[in-house]
C-alpha cells in the first residue's frame, strides 16, 4: 500500500521569499505523484503531477516539483511566494497500473507574512 | 462549463439521522470519486464510479455508508444513522475518463453530527 508523509504541519514564509514544501512517499513501484492546493472553502486544485519522464515538473501558479527516486521525495518549490499562496498544500501518490486513486498526505499549511 | 458542484455545502445532523449528500460532476465526465476529509487531515478515498458502475468501494468505513450514481452523472452519498465520527468534509471529484486523468474537485459538504 502506498503512503505519503508531509513532515511539516505549518510553514511560515515572508512574501517574496522562496518556498519548499516537503513530501516523502512510500510505494513499491513507479508512483504517480501530485501536489494539490486547497484554499479555505474551496475544493482541491491540482498544481502539478508527475507520471514519467523529466523529473522536474512545472505546474500552475509558478510552482515546480522534483521527483527524486533515490530519496522517495517529491518536494514542491516556488522561487517567490505571494500572499495569495497562503493555503493548505497536499501531496498525493497514486499507483501506476492500478486505479490511480491517490493517497493523500495530511497537508502542510502555508502562512505568508507581508 | 461549470465545475463540480456539491450540495448542501453545510449539513448539521443529529446523531442517528440519515443524510444524503449530492455531487454534480463536470458534464461528460465518466469517473466520479468520493473522499472524506477529517479536520486537519488529507482527503481519504471512499468510493469510485465509472459511469453508473461502482468499481471500488473499499474506502467506505462501514455499511452505514452507501453511494450511488444511477444514470452515470449525478451521485449521492448516503450515510445512515450518523455518528459523531462521521463529522467531516465530504469531497467529490470527477475526471474525464478516469485512470490517470486529472481529478477536478468540488467545494465539499461539511457534515457536522451533534
Amino acid at each position: 500500500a502506498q503512503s505519503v508523509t508531509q513532515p511539516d504541519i505549518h510553514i511560515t514564509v515572508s512574501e517574496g521569499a522562496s518556498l519548499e514544501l516537503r513530501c516523502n512517499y512510500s510505494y513499491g513501484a513507479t508512483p504517480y505523484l501530485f501536489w494539490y492546493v486547497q484554499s479555505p472553502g474551496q475544493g482541491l486544485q491540482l498544481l502539478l503531477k508527475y507520471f514519467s519522464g523529466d523529473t522536474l515538473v512545472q505546474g500552475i501558479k509558478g510552482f515546480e516539483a522534483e521527483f527524486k527516486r533515490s530519496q522517495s521525495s517529491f518536494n514542491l518549490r516556488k522561487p517567490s511566494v505571494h500572499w495569495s499562496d497562503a493555503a493548505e498544500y497536499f501531496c498525493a501518490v497514486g499507483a501506476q497500473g492500478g486505479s490511480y486513486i491517490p493517497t493523500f498526505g495530511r497537508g502542510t499549511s502555508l502562512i505568508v507574512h507581508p | 462549463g461549470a465545475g463540480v458542484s456539491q450540495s448542501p455545502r453545510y449539513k448539521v445532523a443529529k446523531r442517528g439521522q440519515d443524510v444524503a449528500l449530492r455531487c454534480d460532476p463536470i458534464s461528460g465526465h465518466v469517473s466520479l470519486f468520493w473522499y472524506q476529509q477529517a479536520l486537519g487531515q488529507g482527503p481519504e478515498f471512499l468510493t469510485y464510479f465509472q459511469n453508473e458502475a461502482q468499481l471500488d468501494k473499499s474506502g467506505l468505513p462501514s455499511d452505514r455508508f452507501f453511494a450511488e450514481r444511477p444514470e452515470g452523472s449525478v451521485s449521492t452519498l448516503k450515510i445512515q444513522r450518523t455518528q459523531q465520527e462521521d463529522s467531516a468534509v465530504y469531497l467529490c471529484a470527477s475526471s474525464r475518463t478516469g485512470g490517470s486523468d486529472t481529478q477536478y474537485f468540488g467545494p465539499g459538504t461539511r457534515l457536522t453530527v451533534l
Side-chain angles (χ1 to χ4, degrees):
Chain A
Q2 63 255 35
S3 66
V4 173
T5 301
Q6 294 181 248
D8 303 305
I9 297 175
H10 302 284
I11 289 280
T12 302
V13 298
S14 297
E15 191 169 16
S18 63
L19 171 70
E20 182 169 30
L21 301 183
R22 296 184 291 165
C23 172
N24 291 95
Y25 69 90
S26 174
Y27 181 60
T30 303
Y32 285 136
L33 294 161
F34 310 83
W35 274 99
Y36 285 87
V37 61
Q38 186 177 37
S39 299
Q42 304 294 316
L44 279 78
Q45 182 183 23
L46 181 68
L47 287 175
L48 47 79
K49 60 186 178 184
Y50 170 80
F51 286 169
S52 64
D54 193 346
T55 56
L56 184 62
V57 181
Q58 302 297 320
I60 63 171
K61 305 186 180 187
F63 286 93
E64 67 177 27
E66 187 170 11
F67 171 54
K68 293 185 177 179
R69 184 186 300 274
S70 62
Q71 298 177 19
S72 298
S73 69
F74 189 57
N75 294 349
L76 182 71
R77 300 193 295 249
K78 186 169 185 178
S80 177
V81 170
H82 188 262
W83 65 265
S84 60
D85 292 325
E88 192 82 18
Y89 290 80
F90 293 94
C91 181
V93 60
Q96 287 204 30
S99 62
Y100 308 99
I101 294 170
T103 297
F104 288 84
R106 63 173 298 167
T108 296
S109 179
L110 175 63
I111 301 164
V112 180
H113 281 170
Chain B
V4 178
S5 61
Q6 293 185 245
S7 60
R9 291 293 309 277
Y10 303 91
K11 177 69 179 177
V12 178
K14 293 183 179 178
R15 190 171 55 182
Q17 282 185 331
D18 298 348
V19 298
L21 312 180
R22 177 187 169 107
C23 172
D24 285 80
I26 294 172
S27 178
H29 275 199
V30 167
S31 295
L32 186 145
F33 306 79
W34 283 99
Y35 296 85
Q36 180 190 59
Q37 185 176 19
L39 189 64
Q41 301 297 319
E44 291 192 359
F45 169 75
L46 293 177
T47 187
Y48 159 55
F49 291 85
Q50 193 159 49
N51 295 306
E52 68 278 4
Q54 189 175 20
L55 298 187
D56 188 338
K57 54 181 180 179
S58 62
L60 296 176
S62 77
D63 58 8
R64 296 186 296 104
F65 286 71
F66 171 76
E68 60 184 5
R69 193 186 185 199
E71 297 178 358
S73 55
V74 171
S75 177
T76 304
L77 177 67
K78 298 179 179 178
I79 309 174
Q80 297 177 323
R81 305 182 302 282
T82 52
Q83 304 295 314
Q84 285 190 323
E85 61 263 28
D86 300 335
S87 295
V89 175
Y90 291 86
L91 296 169
C92 175
S94 69
S95 67
R96 188 171 55 85
T97 61
S100 59
D101 247 358
T102 297
Q103 293 186 26
Y104 296 88
F105 283 79
T109 295
R110 181 177 297 278
L111 172 65
T112 303
V113 181
L114 303 176

